[in-house]
Amino acid sequence: MRLPEIYEHSVTRTGIVTYGIELEHLGLKKHRVIKDRDLDMLERRATLQLEQWEEQWVKKQARQAAADARAAAQREKEQAQREAQDQTDAAQQRLAEIENTLRYTLTRDDTVEWDSLKDFSTFRDDKPIAVLPRKPELHRQSDKPSARAEEFNPTFSFFDHFSSRRKEARRQEAHERYHVAVHEWRQECEGVTRANEQLEREYQGELARAEADHQNALEKWRDARENYLAKQQARNSKVDDQRTRWQDHDTSAVEAYCDIVLSRSSYDDCCPQEFELEYNRDNRMLVVDYQLPPPDALPTLSEVKYVISRKAFTEKSLPVTRQRQMYDSLLYQITLRTLHELFEADTVEALDAVVFNGFVTSIDKGTGNQVTACILSVQATREEFEAINLENVEPKTCFRRLKGVGSTKLHSVTPVPPLQTLSRDDSRFVADHDVIDALDEGDNLAAMDWEEFEHLIREVFGKEFSGDGGEVKVTRASRDGGVDAIAFDPDPIRGGKIVIQAKRYTNTVGVAAVRDLYGTVMNEGAMKGILVTTSSYGPDAYSFAADKPLTLLDGSHLLHLLERHGHKARIDLAEAKKLMH
């Protein structure tokens, strides 16, 4: 499994490089971008994601293979009937798993074991084995001729017995034959010795070369093993470093950890399981933008029958009412399950609150175009969520109890405003200064003069409401960096008085400021209140505003509002704090 190329995603003003890798699975039609400052952790996370997709792909292929097998089984009645029952059982099981999406997470521990991210594999190359040459088979010497051998004994003819001289001549001939044989044998021995000596020299040479080759291969193997173990140790050390930074509530480490938690969660194939995360270390809040399945992605098959008379399978789908109920329930369950998994896995209590924004990509029936909209949003604090017994809750009722926002019929895919959004477009989080035309991209809104900040807010909201014929007037200013203004929206249906209050803060805005705004809205008889800050809000502030006609805009919202009207700025809270001390 080869990873795509890793690219440099962005570089901060301080020179911190963030790397990115784009993953895609054509079979599952899934796509996501993973970002991390550490290349090894990025590669590890990408590998984990690809492995999970591959598991899903195997399941999907297996299901397709089973479907093909069912088509072939129609030829045999009994087999077809059994197959129909199998399909029904599988469909019912799949529907049951979807209906128990929330219950599934209660049976497992969502905490990530950091050691599971480490590489404990052994070096896979086998240690080289010496391949030595075979010792040659030496030439054997023949036995020395024996003087008693028959061929060396004299043979006498009939006439030789009558002449001693003739007998002696025969004895001499036999003796000579023996001496010639011994001489030839000695020459043969010398040749065998020379040949064996040559074989031994050649063998020793081959042996020396084989031993040298083995020693060289052994040294290379040892170097490769040491390099492998060193890299393995370095990667594992980075996991330990990531764990330490996670324990210290480092922003990127918390986001990476939560990403792993949600990536490891197993869902039905109909769920895209794509998401983006953003952690705010100041208020310990995690914002999750989660991609939910569209209504037509859920399975509807409930029963399969084999009609003998027609030799064909027939399928029965869930009633439309049941389909809609199952869809709405699934989305509520995914929401609660995600909150549960994040809080349960957060053993270092980096998360005081989690905002879950559920997005659906579907086809707009009116335009025929693909649209993506947030259809539900909820924010839960750790304390209130851990007080819930998820085994006994009704998902929709629990969602409402948490003051979640969303249409009563989620299958209608009705957009709702997220309670809190990701600052996707401007990671600089730096604010601006200036009475709007003098605003410069390098100005830090969090450090600008409080009077100029008052006029800036008046002007930007004046531009926001001027398109509909509205107007904004500053009513009161205070040296704490806040400004009260009244906007008048002339729309006869949704219009009316709107109280706008701004806080040029460098610290997290607490619930007290939100309560003050709500009191002002009530006293003014206004239809709505808007609180704008250069910083961020705490979980208690969002909880208080959830069911009230209040809108909380943090620094990133303010930057986007300015940019929408053609002005750019930045918000650097750390820089502002230094300048103010």
Side-chain angles (χ1 to χ4, degrees):
M1 185 187 311
R2 294 184 58 189
L3 291 174
E5 285 190 27
I6 296 174
Y7 61 90
E8 185 175 291
H9 182 267
S10 63
V11 182
T12 65
R13 292 186 305 105
T14 57
I16 298 176
V17 180
T18 299
Y19 298 94
I21 186 168
E22 186 172 4
L23 305 179
E24 184 176 17
H25 196 295
L26 297 178
L28 295 175
K29 297 181 180 179
K30 291 195 173 185
H31 172 273
R32 69 173 298 199
V33 174
I34 298 178
K35 293 169 280 186
D36 206 301
R37 292 186 299 180
D38 184 89
L39 285 172
D40 284 328
M41 281 303 301
L42 179 63
E43 182 176 350
R44 185 65 178 160
R45 289 170 56 196
T47 300
L48 288 173
Q49 181 65 83
L50 290 178
E51 287 174 352
Q52 194 216 19
W53 280 353
E54 191 59 27
E55 289 178 6
Q56 292 183 2
W57 178 236
V58 170
K59 285 176 59 179
K60 188 171 184 178
Q61 288 180 313
R63 188 176 290 118
Q64 183 61 48
D68 294 341
R70 289 194 295 270
Q74 292 181 6
R75 300 173 186 174
E76 298 292 336
K77 183 182 71 172
E78 291 184 0
Q79 176 63 28
Q81 289 174 328
R82 287 194 297 269
E83 186 64 34
Q85 186 59 49
D86 289 344
Q87 292 183 53
T88 298
D89 292 344
Q92 291 292 336
Q93 180 180 353
R94 189 180 183 193
L95 293 175
E97 289 176 354
I98 290 176
E99 291 176 342
N100 288 282
T101 294
L102 176 59
R103 187 171 298 277
Y104 169 81
T105 194
L106 304 180
T107 62
R108 62 194 301 271
D109 183 0
D110 298 299
T111 304
V112 176
E113 292 293 338
W114 284 94
D115 282 349
S116 69
L117 304 179
K118 294 183 178 181
D119 180 10
F120 294 106
S121 60
T122 57
F123 186 56
R124 287 176 291 183
D125 292 348
D126 295 330
K127 185 177 181 178
I129 299 175
V131 181
L132 302 179
R134 291 184 59 183
K135 195 164 186 177
E137 186 175 349
L138 300 179
H139 300 290
R140 295 185 60 183
Q141 296 179 355
S142 59
D143 296 333
K144 182 178 180 181
S146 174
R148 295 180 179 180
E150 184 178 353
E151 62 180 307
F152 302 126
N153 289 327
T155 57
F156 302 106
S157 66
F158 174 79
F159 295 103
D160 290 338
H161 290 289
F162 298 100
S163 173
S164 58
R165 188 170 57 83
R166 289 171 65 93
K167 279 186 176 183
E168 183 60 29
R170 299 289 181 269
R171 290 191 184 96
Q172 188 62 36
E173 289 173 0
H175 185 68
E176 286 295 329
R177 287 198 301 275
Y178 172 71
H179 279 286
V180 169
V182 170
H183 177 70
E184 291 176 350
W185 172 79
R186 286 174 178 166
Q187 287 184 324
E188 178 190 341
C189 289
E190 292 175 358
V192 168
T193 300
R194 287 194 298 273
N196 286 342
E197 289 174 350
Q198 179 62 27
L199 287 174
E200 183 65 23
R201 285 193 296 272
E202 292 174 355
Y203 168 71
Q204 292 298 328
E206 291 178 5
L207 182 62
R209 286 191 294 274
E211 289 176 343
D213 290 342
H214 174 249
Q215 189 62 33
N216 184 49
L218 198 59
E219 291 177 1
K220 289 183 178 179
W221 176 83
R222 286 170 178 160
D223 289 343
R225 184 183 62 173
E226 290 176 3
N227 185 54
Y228 175 86
L229 294 176
K231 288 183 177 180
Q232 184 184 66
Q233 179 60 38
R235 290 193 296 269
N236 291 344
S237 295
K238 288 184 178 181
V239 173
D240 289 332
D241 175 67
Q242 183 93 337
R243 172 167 49 190
T244 300
R245 292 192 296 111
W246 167 68
Q247 292 169 339
D248 293 338
H249 299 178
D250 174 79
T251 299
S252 63
V254 171
E255 290 176 348
Y257 179 81
C258 293
D259 185 286
I260 295 172
V261 170
L262 298 185
S263 295
R264 290 173 50 166
S265 187
S266 178
Y267 281 89
D268 185 84
D269 289 345
C270 68
C271 300
Q273 210 170 348
E274 299 170 2
F275 48 83
E276 291 185 69
L277 307 172
E278 184 174 86
Y279 177 64
N280 188 324
R281 186 173 183 175
D282 293 332
N283 59 14
R284 296 188 180 184
M285 177 180 289
L286 180 74
V287 179
V288 182
D289 278 8
Y290 204 98
Q291 190 71 27
L292 299 168
D296 57 3
L298 269 64
T300 60
L301 178 65
S302 64
E303 185 179 8
V304 177
K305 288 186 176 180
Y306 182 70
V307 181
I308 300 175
S309 60
R310 292 191 284 121
K311 294 184 178 180
F313 289 101
T314 60
E315 296 182 349
K316 181 180 179 181
S317 297
L318 294 173
V320 175
T321 302
R322 172 87 184 281
Q323 293 179 28
R324 291 174 175 174
Q325 290 174 347
M326 184 173 70
Y327 179 78
D328 287 11
S329 177
L330 174 61
L331 267 54
Y332 289 126
Q333 290 188 62
I334 291 175
T335 302
L336 298 178
R337 174 170 162 173
T338 301
L339 295 174
H340 167 77
E341 290 171 344
L342 291 170
F343 281 128
E344 182 179 63
D346 179 32
T347 57
V348 297
E349 297 187 353
L351 309 179
D352 283 348
V354 175
V355 175
F356 180 96
N357 300 319
F359 288 81
V360 171
T361 299
S362 60
I363 300 299
D364 187 319
K365 302 300 182 181
T367 65
N369 297 322
Q370 188 179 77
V371 293
T372 298
C374 176
I375 68 168
L376 61 81
S377 183
V378 65
Q379 181 249 317
T381 64
R382 175 187 294 277
E383 182 179 2
E384 66 181 331
F385 194 81
E386 290 182 345
I388 298 172
N389 185 350
L390 292 178
E391 289 188 4
N392 300 326
V393 300
E394 194 284 314
K396 181 177 180 179
T397 304
C398 183
F399 178 82
R400 297 299 180 192
R401 183 66 177 270
L402 291 171
K403 300 178 182 178
V405 295
S407 170
T408 55
K409 299 178 181 179
L410 296 181
H411 55 268
S412 65
V413 195
T414 303
V416 298
L419 295 177
Q420 174 76 313
T421 59
L422 300 178
S423 55
R424 293 186 184 88
D425 299 329
D426 198 329
S427 59
R428 295 173 301 168
F429 198 76
V430 177
D432 170 20
H433 157 318
D434 183 270
V435 180
I436 214 161
D437 290 334
L439 196 63
D440 184 82
E441 186 172 355
D443 291 330
N444 183 357
L445 295 184
M448 69 188 301
D449 179 79
W450 65 273
E451 290 182 309
E452 291 183 345
F453 185 69
E454 290 179 356
H455 289 288
L456 172 67
I457 297 304
R458 179 191 61 77
E459 287 192 52
V460 71
F461 276 96
K463 289 179 178 289
E464 185 70 15
F465 285 100
S466 64
D468 297 324
E471 62 176 329
V472 178
K473 293 184 178 180
V474 176
T475 59
R476 178 179 59 83
S478 59
R479 297 189 61 86
D480 64 354
V483 56
D484 288 334
I486 298 294
F488 297 95
D489 187 343
D491 189 281
I493 297 177
R494 61 174 174 80
K497 181 190 292 186
I498 301 173
V499 174
I500 302 170
Q501 190 175 64
K503 298 291 184 184
R504 189 207 58 180
Y505 279 11
T506 56
N507 296 319
T508 301
V509 178
V511 69
V514 185
R515 286 199 183 99
D516 290 344
L517 173 62
Y518 186 58
T520 303
V521 170
M522 296 295 101
N523 292 334
E524 291 284 340
M527 59 164 288
K528 185 177 183 179
I530 301 175
L531 185 60
V532 189
T533 182
T534 50
S535 60
S536 58
Y537 298 95
D540 51 353
Y542 284 108
S543 296
F544 182 83
D547 57 351
K548 298 176 180 62
L550 302 177
T551 298
L552 306 183
L553 303 180
D554 60 17
S556 62
H557 288 103
L558 177 56
L559 291 178
H560 295 323
L561 190 61
L562 285 167
E563 189 168 349
R564 187 158 67 192
H565 295 288
H567 301 278
K568 289 187 177 182
R570 63 187 185 90
I571 296 175
D572 190 334
L573 302 179
E575 178 186 282
K577 288 180 180 179
K578 291 180 180 178
L579 293 174
M580 292 179 181
H581 284 80

